[in-house]
Amino acid sequence: MKTFILISIFYILIEAVFCASQKFEIFFINLDRRGERRVEVDQELNSVFPNMTHHRLKAVDARELNKDVLVENGVKVMEGYLDPYHKRPMKMGEVACFLSHHSVWTEISNSNIPLTLIVEDDVKFNRGGKENLEKLLNAVIEEFEEKGGELLYLGRKPQADDLACDDCKLLSRPGYSYWTVAYMLTAEGAKKLLNTKVLSQMIPVDEYIPMMFDQNPEFDSWSERLSETELESVLLKAYSATNLLAEPRWYPSDNSSYVSDTELSDIIHET
């Protein structure tokens, strides 16, 4: 009996030490009407991070948005904005996606959370063996923190070449990139993302984030518009894992299994 009690105490202490050393919080974004995706992302996160808690953030639903709702909440799409590839105005789903991520940034900033992993509910981690993923992610985070990074892509779709990165081993400095399927953000990074008037001149989150680290060719460079002192409060210190650790579970080419709530939403002609 004493042996059993001692063993039990040992495992409780081990779990307590692990929880105390948890390096980051985890949030996943999920629509209420996508219950099947909530189950899938829960399973994915429990598998990859079995001893860590994760929190669901209710995604903003494009079906519940209209022009009146946007006006009431001070949301206005950037005048004249057109998607760089489809040459169309923003869609209501893109506004909903932005507002969902904006809610996470606000939570991180208000709670001053040192480091947060933010994932969308279609995330799939590239394990390479669970132990290998854990080891690599810990090493990536360590290098990211050593460099004073504020945003870290774990999954992205490069749209341009990466930048030179002095003394980088596991990290790269991302060029123009898409996707918000999996990224990490510090409290300071969240504050910078919130430190603009973006809600009143909104663009898609895929365009906004690279703009915030001066790598969106569609917008003037921050460094050309602001002084060095002003840049410090706006410009994100962004990095990416060189070997990407996450990707979407579905792609448009998957046909029957691929569903995009963004693409299925209406175009916003004016707000």
Side-chain angles (χ1 to χ4, degrees):
M1 184 66 176
K2 289 182 179 179
T3 302
F4 174 78
I5 293 173
L6 288 172
I7 291 173
S8 298
I9 293 173
F10 172 78
Y11 280 111
I12 290 171
L13 289 172
I14 288 294
E15 184 174 356
V17 169
F18 184 90
C19 291
S21 65
Q22 181 170 321
K23 289 188 174 182
F24 52 89
E25 297 294 323
I26 304 173
F27 283 89
F28 70 89
I29 298 171
N30 169 250
L31 283 167
D32 279 348
R33 58 185 167 84
R34 294 294 180 198
E36 75 288 353
R37 288 196 175 185
R38 179 173 184 174
V39 171
E40 289 165 346
V41 72
D42 263 328
Q43 291 174 342
E44 182 74 1
L45 292 172
N46 285 332
S47 173
V48 177
F49 307 106
N51 296 303
M52 295 176 64
T53 57
H54 53 266
H55 314 281
R56 176 181 180 265
L57 184 132
K58 176 183 175 180
V60 176
D61 196 334
R63 295 182 183 179
E64 298 174 3
L65 295 179
N66 55 48
K67 292 178 183 178
D68 291 338
V69 172
L70 299 189
V71 171
E72 288 172 10
N73 289 277
V75 176
K76 184 175 178 62
V77 172
M78 180 180 285
E79 186 176 352
Y81 173 81
L82 292 176
D83 180 276
Y85 296 95
H86 303 293
K87 305 303 179 185
R88 58 156 174 78
M90 276 184 71
K91 289 195 169 188
M92 202 64 85
E94 290 173 314
V95 172
C97 179
F98 193 106
L99 292 174
S100 299
H101 283 271
H102 192 274
S103 294
V104 183
W105 305 340
T106 302
E107 175 64 25
I108 294 168
S109 177
N110 289 346
S111 302
N112 209 33
I113 304 172
L115 186 63
T116 303
L117 169 61
I118 303 165
V119 301
E120 295 174 335
D121 62 7
D122 62 340
V123 69
K124 180 179 72 173
F125 285 90
N126 305 322
R127 290 168 175 77
K130 178 177 171 296
E131 292 181 1
N132 291 337
L133 176 62
E134 288 181 357
K135 184 177 179 180
L136 180 56
L137 179 56
N138 286 334
V140 165
I141 291 173
E142 183 177 351
E143 185 174 330
F144 173 72
E145 292 177 333
E146 286 174 356
K147 290 190 171 296
E150 295 167 335
L151 181 138
L152 173 63
Y153 282 109
L154 298 185
R156 65 186 172 107
K157 183 180 181 181
Q159 304 293 304
D161 292 339
D162 287 349
L163 311 177
C165 187
D166 295 336
D167 301 321
C168 282
K169 297 175 183 177
L170 300 172
L171 299 179
S172 60
R173 290 179 59 210
Y176 186 33
S177 300
Y178 276 180
W179 293 354
T180 48
V181 66
Y183 62 102
M184 304 192 82
L185 192 62
T186 65
E188 185 58 36
K191 288 176 171 60
K192 287 185 176 181
L193 287 169
L194 296 169
N195 193 28
T196 69
K197 298 178 180 178
V198 67
L199 292 186
S200 62
Q201 46 189 5
M202 187 178 288
I203 58 176
V205 69
D206 275 355
E207 300 288 350
Y208 180 64
I209 289 180
M211 184 189 82
M212 290 297 290
F213 56 85
D214 248 357
Q215 291 301 312
N216 189 324
E218 301 294 321
F219 297 92
D220 293 336
S221 168
W222 282 113
S223 56
E224 294 175 358
R225 290 180 278 166
L226 302 176
S227 68
E228 285 191 20
T229 303
E230 291 171 322
L231 275 176
E232 189 65 27
S233 65
V234 174
L235 200 61
L236 271 178
K237 298 171 185 174
Y239 291 90
S240 172
T242 303
N243 295 317
L244 295 174
L245 305 179
E247 63 182 324
R249 186 179 296 275
W250 305 277
Y251 290 90
S253 58
D254 294 335
N255 297 323
S256 61
S257 58
Y258 177 78
V259 176
S260 171
D261 289 290
T262 298
E263 292 304 320
L264 292 174
S265 65
D266 295 331
I267 284 175
I268 304 173
H269 294 286
E270 60 181 55
T271 57

